[in-house]
Amino acid sequence: MNLATSHPGAPVSRIPNEDKSASSTLIPIRMIRVKHVIVALLLSVFFFFVFCFIALHAYIAWVLSNPTVAPLYSNPYQAKGLAYEDISFPAKDGSRMMEGWYIPSKGATKTIIFSHGYGANREESWVPMYDLAHYAHSLRFNVVMFDYGFASKTDRDIATGGKKESQQLLGAIEFAKEQGADQIVVWGFSMGAGTALQAGLVTKDVDAMILDSTFLLEPDTLYHNIKQNINLPRQPSLEIMEMLFPVLNGTGLNQIPYSKVKSEDYPFPVLFMHGTKDDKAPYPIAEELAANQSNPYSDSWIVENSHHELLFREHPREYLRRVSAFLGNVQLAQISGSHSNPTASK
């Protein structure tokens, strides 16, 4: 008899004990793997949303830098019977050639330069610009109408909030001087008004400015306009936009002298006109800019319930009355030599 195989009791086996040990080891490994998968998924979702958030801001910055501008549909002669010349002149820094129209007034030595707004060209039909050009011409002013680089029909450039555009406006001022102007008035609209103020920091060849619905690109107005279209948080949206602008259009917000403009007391008369229902450039900025001016001929007109760049359409008679009175004062200022612009004493 084989005692090893006949003694009572359960048979001895090591296999079940080994299975229990292996399964107890596999359970925590599986749990760790599941945790890793969950963490990886959560991180993937997080970084996907971060990417989408930044991509959205990049798209906004790109759109702001590349506005859609309608082509020219008319000209001064077709619109108002005004004889004109096609002109071209270099930007002050020589970076590009500008294109526009010159509407001469026989024997006149005064010139008004129109500085159009963002997303528009020299026609800016909703203002309407042809009507104001005709009015300026009736006051015996030569008129310059030109396209900023972002509105060029032959060599389109990016919009930079006034950095490049101010050099382009300075080129228009040089052109007016070359045509014999001894009094130059810049009439600006929206960002064209903000551009005029930037140019006014560095030129002594401007005798006055008329600024309609002044838009100055700064963090507050940038966020205000973004929020009109999409409700993004102020932080970190502004920081992201400030980071993206130099990449997409070569211009950082810190390159736009908005702080200097907002504290400047300009040596020439300035007429600020702004509506309280302006949804693109809040009117307190015009009040702040006007409050800094000490020139006795500077003035402001804050219009209740009027809208961005629609002041002339909404209040045509009062608009022209204000402009006419201001231009009359500008001439008095030049005759009396009461402001410090050297061109007034030539």
Side-chain angles (χ1 to χ4, degrees):
M1 178 180 291
N2 188 340
L3 296 177
T5 59
S6 61
H7 69 82
V12 177
S13 174
R14 297 183 179 274
I15 295 175
N17 289 336
E18 290 177 357
D19 287 342
K20 289 178 182 179
S21 174
S23 62
S24 63
T25 304
L26 288 173
I27 290 172
I29 291 174
R30 287 173 183 166
M31 291 178 64
I32 291 172
R33 286 177 179 172
V34 169
K35 288 179 181 179
H36 286 174
V37 169
I38 292 172
V39 170
L41 286 173
L42 290 175
L43 287 174
S44 298
V45 171
F46 172 76
F47 285 115
F48 174 75
F49 280 109
V50 168
F51 170 80
C52 290
F53 190 69
I54 294 175
L56 174 62
H57 286 76
Y59 174 73
I60 293 171
W62 186 88
V63 169
L64 291 175
S65 302
N66 297 271
T68 300
V69 180
L72 296 172
Y73 73 91
S74 187
N75 60 56
Y77 186 76
Q78 290 177 346
K80 291 293 177 180
L82 296 171
Y84 73 98
E85 305 167 14
D86 289 311
I87 59 172
S88 62
F89 54 86
K92 180 70 172 179
D93 60 3
S95 59
R96 61 174 294 123
M97 293 298 293
M98 314 304 300
E99 298 175 339
W101 296 318
Y102 182 60
I103 308 172
S105 178
K106 188 175 180 179
T109 58
K110 305 175 296 181
T111 298
I112 283 178
I113 300 172
F114 284 102
S115 174
H116 69 78
Y118 170 85
N121 55 33
R122 70 189 88 157
E123 291 179 323
E124 200 151 6
S125 57
W126 56 84
V127 168
M129 200 74 87
Y130 285 124
D131 287 357
L132 294 182
H134 183 264
Y135 172 72
H137 190 262
S138 72
L139 296 179
R140 295 185 55 77
F141 279 87
N142 305 306
V143 174
V144 174
M145 303 172 71
F146 74 100
D147 292 333
Y148 282 114
F150 62 79
S152 172
K153 59 182 180 180
T154 58
D155 183 23
R156 185 157 295 187
D157 203 350
I158 54 177
T160 64
K163 179 190 173 186
K164 289 185 176 181
E165 292 80 5
S166 59
Q167 291 296 314
Q168 296 163 12
L169 177 56
L170 291 171
I173 293 169
E174 285 292 320
F175 172 84
K177 286 172 57 184
E178 290 169 2
Q179 303 308 304
D182 62 11
Q183 184 183 95
I184 296 175
V185 178
V186 177
W187 196 335
F189 301 82
S190 188
M191 191 176 287
T195 296
L197 289 171
Q198 293 179 55
L201 294 174
V202 296
T203 182
K204 295 180 179 180
D205 295 319
V206 170
D207 292 270
M209 288 185 180
I210 301 169
L211 304 180
D212 183 329
S213 307
T214 302
F215 179 96
L216 185 62
L217 186 59
E218 59 173 336
D220 288 342
T221 52
L222 173 62
Y223 179 69
H224 175 82
N225 279 268
I226 292 173
K227 196 173 176 65
Q228 298 298 311
N229 297 291
I230 183 169
N231 191 21
L232 292 172
R234 183 181 178 89
Q235 310 297 339
S237 288
L238 277 180
E239 285 80 0
I240 294 173
M241 296 296 288
E242 290 177 4
M243 175 186 69
L244 290 172
F245 269 126
V247 176
L248 294 173
N249 70 8
T251 303
L253 286 182
N254 61 350
Q255 294 177 285
I256 299 171
Y258 57 84
S259 295
K260 176 68 172 170
V261 167
K262 291 175 70 174
S263 62
E264 184 73 2
D265 181 5
Y266 289 88
F268 46 78
V270 186
L271 172 61
F272 295 95
M273 301 187 290
H274 218 104
T276 61
K277 289 292 183 67
D278 193 320
D279 61 352
K280 294 180 174 62
Y283 73 92
I285 188 173
E287 292 183 319
E288 181 181 353
L289 291 166
N292 292 333
Q293 308 310 309
S294 63
N295 189 291
Y297 296 105
S298 288
D299 199 2
S300 65
W301 180 38
I302 306 300
V303 190
E304 289 293 331
N305 299 318
S306 203
H307 301 82
H308 190 72
E309 290 191 277
L310 297 181
L311 280 71
F312 176 51
R313 281 190 178 276
E314 295 169 343
H315 307 277
R317 291 185 180 179
E318 182 63 13
Y319 189 101
L320 294 183
R321 188 192 72 80
R322 298 259 179 176
V323 169
S324 179
F326 176 74
L327 290 174
N329 287 334
V330 169
Q331 288 192 306
L332 288 175
Q334 188 177 39
I335 292 169
S336 64
S338 64
H339 70 82
S340 60
N341 190 330
T343 62
S345 59
K346 286 182 181 179

